[in-house]
């Protein structure tokens, strides 16, 4: 074999050599990074478009929801799905509802986890109440403990009102504006809900555009995990607004 033949053979051997394989540790780290990034992206997509967890900060929804509960919100309603009377909705502060609430402090790590949906949203700028009136509904109370009326039909709310709570100690009658909802807490005497904002723009009604979604399950604590069902029978006899 000549020197030229040997050189050609060496070049051919070098060209056909397989790429150097990664070690097991490098492969593990690469696969772990791919899994983590994929999980973060999936969590962000779910939180942005489908569902989001929220923390309950107050007693306004006793005994349906307690302070410290975490709920999961369906963000497809309103949207592809409708909001109904009796739904429990999370909504952004329409303006001035939370002026007196203390904003909890978070650190950079917590903010990042909230942003991608791995921690529940701190509810400093959101509220959670039950929908009583839809656009066009007339919601009224005599303020004497008698049942609310919706479009003239009395509604029996004992299925969800807090023990000892009166339907309303405030007298009012409102027609819910187009594109808005009338909302009230289940713990009526401890809920600064639509009734307390009658003098605000919109007359206490919450714009549907401010609604994040409908709560459908309690996720935490473990002993309170359960579905948040719409009490459809409560509003079954309510007629459509005239």
């Amino acid at each position: 074999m000549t020197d030229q033949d040997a050189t050609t053979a060496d070049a051919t051997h070098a060209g056909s050599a397989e790429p150097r394989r990664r070690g097991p540790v490098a492969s593990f780290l690469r696969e772990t990074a791919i899994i983590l990034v994929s999980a973060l992206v999936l969590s962000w997509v779910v939180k942005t478009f489908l569902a989001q967890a929220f923390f309950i900060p107050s007693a306004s929804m006793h005994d349906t929801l307690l302070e410290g509960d975490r709920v999961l919100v369906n963000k497809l309603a309103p949207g592809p799905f409708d909001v109904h009377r009796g739904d429990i909705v999370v909504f952004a502060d329409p303006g001035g509802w939370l002026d007196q609430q203390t904003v909890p402090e978070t650190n950079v790590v917590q903010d990042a986890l909230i942003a991608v949906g791995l921690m529940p949203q701190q509810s400093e700028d959101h509220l959670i109440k039950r929908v009583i009136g839809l656009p066009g509904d007339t919601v009224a109370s005599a303020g004497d403990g008698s049942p609310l009326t919706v479009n003239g039909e009395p509604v029996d709310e004992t299925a969800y009102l807090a023990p000892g709570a009166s339907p309303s100690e405030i007298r009012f009658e409102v027609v819910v504006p187009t594109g808005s909802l009338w909302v009230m807490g289940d713990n009526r005497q401890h809920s600064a809900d639509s009734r307390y904002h009658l003098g605000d723009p919109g007359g206490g009604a919450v714009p549907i555009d401010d609604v994040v979604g409908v709560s459908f399950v309690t996720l935490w604590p473990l002993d309170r995990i359960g579905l948040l069902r719409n009490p459809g029978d409560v509003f079954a006899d309510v007629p459509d607004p005239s």
Side-chain angles (χ1 to χ4, degrees):
M1 179 181 293
T2 64
D3 291 343
Q4 183 177 357
D5 293 336
T7 302
T8 302
D10 290 343
T12 302
H13 176 74
S16 62
E18 294 182 0
R20 186 177 180 182
R21 294 185 176 180
R22 295 185 178 87
V25 173
S27 295
F28 171 78
L29 291 176
R30 179 174 178 272
E31 292 173 6
T32 300
I34 291 173
I35 292 171
L36 287 176
V37 171
S38 299
L40 290 173
V41 171
L42 178 60
S43 179
W44 177 83
V45 169
V46 169
K47 178 224 171 182
T48 302
F49 300 105
L50 300 177
Q52 185 175 355
F54 281 86
F55 174 85
I56 305 302
S58 73
S60 69
M61 286 295 292
H62 277 207
D63 285 337
T64 306
L65 297 170
L66 305 180
E67 299 95 323
D69 284 355
R70 272 72 165 175
V71 299
L72 195 60
V73 169
N74 173 18
K75 301 185 78 169
L76 296 177
F81 300 105
D82 293 330
V83 175
H84 302 91
R85 301 183 193 98
D87 284 344
I88 299 172
V89 293
V90 170
F91 56 96
D93 184 355
W97 287 41
L98 292 174
D99 285 348
Q100 304 304 316
Q101 181 165 312
T102 301
V103 177
E105 293 184 0
T106 57
N107 56 41
V108 174
V109 174
Q110 289 174 319
D111 289 341
L113 293 175
I114 291 170
V116 297
L118 295 179
M119 276 188 68
Q121 176 75 43
Q122 302 298 317
S123 303
E124 70 272 10
D125 55 355
H126 289 78
L127 301 96
I128 184 165
K129 307 291 181 189
R130 192 178 296 275
V131 176
I132 304 299
L134 299 175
D137 282 346
T138 298
V139 184
S141 169
D144 57 1
S146 58
L148 299 182
T149 62
V150 181
N151 298 334
E153 180 69 26
V155 290
D156 181 358
E157 301 181 277
T158 54
Y160 51 76
L161 284 182
S166 166
S168 180
E169 75 284 10
I170 297 173
R171 181 183 179 89
F172 66 90
E173 181 173 350
V174 297
V175 176
V176 184
T178 301
S180 298
L181 304 171
W182 184 265
V183 297
M184 299 174 71
D186 290 356
N187 194 10
R188 294 286 159 82
Q189 280 64 58
H190 300 276
S191 176
D193 48 43
S194 288
R195 299 168 296 163
Y196 289 83
H197 299 276
L198 290 166
D200 294 356
V206 174
I208 292 177
D209 288 344
D210 289 343
V211 175
V212 176
V214 174
S215 303
F216 66 96
V217 66
T218 304
L219 293 173
W220 187 264
L222 293 178
D223 61 350
R224 288 185 49 76
I225 289 178
L227 295 177
L228 296 169
R229 300 183 185 277
N230 180 298
D233 291 346
V234 173
F235 300 94
D237 295 329
V238 172
D240 292 334
S242 56

